[in-house]
Amino acid sequence: STGNHGITICTPSSGTGTINFSDGSGGGAAAYAGSVSFEHANELTVLRAKSGKVVLRNDGTDALVASGGNVGVGLDSPTAKLHVNGTQNGLQARFGGTGTGLGILCGQKTNNNALVTFEAQDASHGTLTFKTAGTEALRINSDGQVLLGDNPTVASDAALHIELDGS
C-alpha cells in the first residue's frame, strides 16, 4: 500500500498519551516493561524502561544509552553522568557551536601515549581559563601567553607572566 501509516493516540491538550509495553507476565501497571509517552502540557516525549536501559539506536549502533542515571555516547554501559567513548582519535566532545566554544580532543597515539587537548575554538578570542575556589588562577590567551597568579587577566609582553599579591 502507499501513504502514511501509523498509530495515533489522541489525548486532551493537557493530557498524556502513552503506549505501554508489557512482558506478558500479568496485568496492570506492574507488568509494563517500558513505555513511550507524550506529555502535552510540557511538550515532552518520554521513553521509559522499568529496568535496564533506554537506547537510541541508529543502523544497529547504540548512539545514546541512558542507564542508572548515566548517559553514554558510543558505549553500552556508561559509568559517569556523561560518558563519551569515541572510536577514533580526534574531537570527542564540543560544547558550543561549530568553531566556537570548547572542544575536547582525545586520542591514543601509536606508541601508546594518550593525549587530551582542550581547544578554545574561536580564532580571535581563544582563551582558556582555570579557576580554583571560584577565582581565576591561570589563563592561556590566544597569543599563547600563560598568565598565572592573583590577576591572570593582566597581560604583558612576556610569554609567561606570574603575578602574586606579595605573599
Side-chain angles (χ1 to χ4, degrees), residues 53-85:
K53 304 173 187 175
V54 174
V55 177
L56 297 178
R57 183 168 288 152
N58 183 14
D59 293 332
T61 301
D62 294 350
L64 182 70
V65 176
S67 176
N70 296 332
V71 175
V73 179
L75 69 160
D76 291 334
S77 299
T79 59
K81 292 295 179 193
L82 176 61
H83 190 161
V84 179
N85 183 33

Side-chain angles (χ1 to χ4, degrees), residues 22-27 30-31:
S22 174
D23 63 8
S25 64

